[in-house]
Amino acid sequence: MTPLRTKDLAFVAVALPVAMVAAYFWLWRADAAKKLDRLETECRNLAEVDEYPSLKAAAERRLAEARSALEREKSAETDESAVVRSGGRPEAMRENDVLRVFGEAGANVLKSELVAGSPAGALLSAASGIEKPVCRKYTLEGPYPAIKRALDLFSSKKMAVIPERVEMRSSRPASWLIWIWQ
């Protein structure tokens, strides 16, 4: 067995209590201090006893104003719809309408493919009555004004479409990728 030296006894007598005090501050006391700080901040944010009735009255007044504004909004006439409801039109007819608009605008459609889309389909379904809207990716050729005209035509004709994304590919003539919910 190894004999204990004075140096070993001094280390145990000093290092062990220091380690225990450090563990106390690091493990338990730090959590207690954080909790105390949080509670002090919460206490500072509370209303004073004499201020409470006026703060409560102001909050109730704001609540009443918000409720009356909500009622006014509910009773107001709704604006004209931004789209023409086309719930009963089959998917092929809706795609044909989109292709016709691209042709009117002067864009040449190279390819059309069905793609998975985003939550915009639910918005289109709610606004237009289309049961199962689809997202199609169109590959087009044409100048920027033709693409802009096509997007403007969608809006002016109140077509039930949502252009989700437009990408320009650098080539001659300009090539475009447009994702459209229809």
Side-chain angles (χ1 to χ4, degrees):
M1 184 157 119
T2 307
L4 289 176
R5 300 175 295 178
T6 309
K7 187 169 31 172
D8 296 331
L9 292 174
F11 176 75
V12 169
V14 172
L16 190 58
V18 168
M20 290 174 67
V21 168
Y24 165 76
F25 278 103
W26 184 56
L27 296 175
W28 185 81
R29 178 120 159 77
D31 290 338
K34 286 178 189 174
K35 184 177 181 181
L36 181 63
D37 288 343
R38 185 177 47 80
L39 291 174
E40 285 175 348
T41 303
E42 186 178 320
C43 187
R44 278 192 303 268
N45 291 336
L46 293 175
E48 295 293 326
V49 175
D50 53 341
E51 293 177 346
Y52 180 75
S54 64
L55 291 175
K56 181 180 177 187
E60 287 174 346
R61 197 170 38 255
R62 287 192 309 270
L63 177 62
E65 290 171 1
R67 284 188 175 148
S68 66
L70 177 63
E71 289 304 318
R72 280 193 310 271
E73 213 35 60
K74 283 182 179 178
S75 65
E77 290 187 27
T78 58
D79 292 338
E80 183 182 334
S81 177
V83 297
V84 175
R85 293 187 66 80
S86 60
R89 292 179 57 88
E91 179 184 337
M93 291 178 80
R94 294 191 314 260
E95 182 179 10
N96 193 28
D97 294 341
V98 170
L99 293 172
R100 187 176 304 114
V101 167
F102 284 139
E104 287 176 27
N108 184 24
V109 179
L110 301 177
K111 185 166 73 169
S112 167
E113 56 189 301
L114 194 61
V115 294
S118 67
L123 295 172
L124 181 61
S125 180
S128 67
I130 298 172
E131 278 187 39
K132 294 180 182 175
V134 295
C135 185
R136 299 194 73 80
K137 180 173 80 170
Y138 293 95
T139 306
L140 309 169
E141 273 185 349
Y144 172 78
I147 303 303
K148 172 82 168 73
R149 252 190 321 274
L151 295 174
D152 289 341
L153 280 171
F154 289 139
S155 178
S156 67
K157 291 183 176 194
K158 297 186 177 187
M159 291 182 64
V161 297
I162 298 177
E164 183 176 285
R165 190 168 72 192
V166 178
E167 288 182 14
M168 179 182 177
R169 304 288 178 172
S170 59
S171 61
R172 294 275 186 230
S175 172
W176 301 83
L177 296 177
I178 301 180
W179 285 257
I180 294 182
W181 276 97
Q182 53 191 13

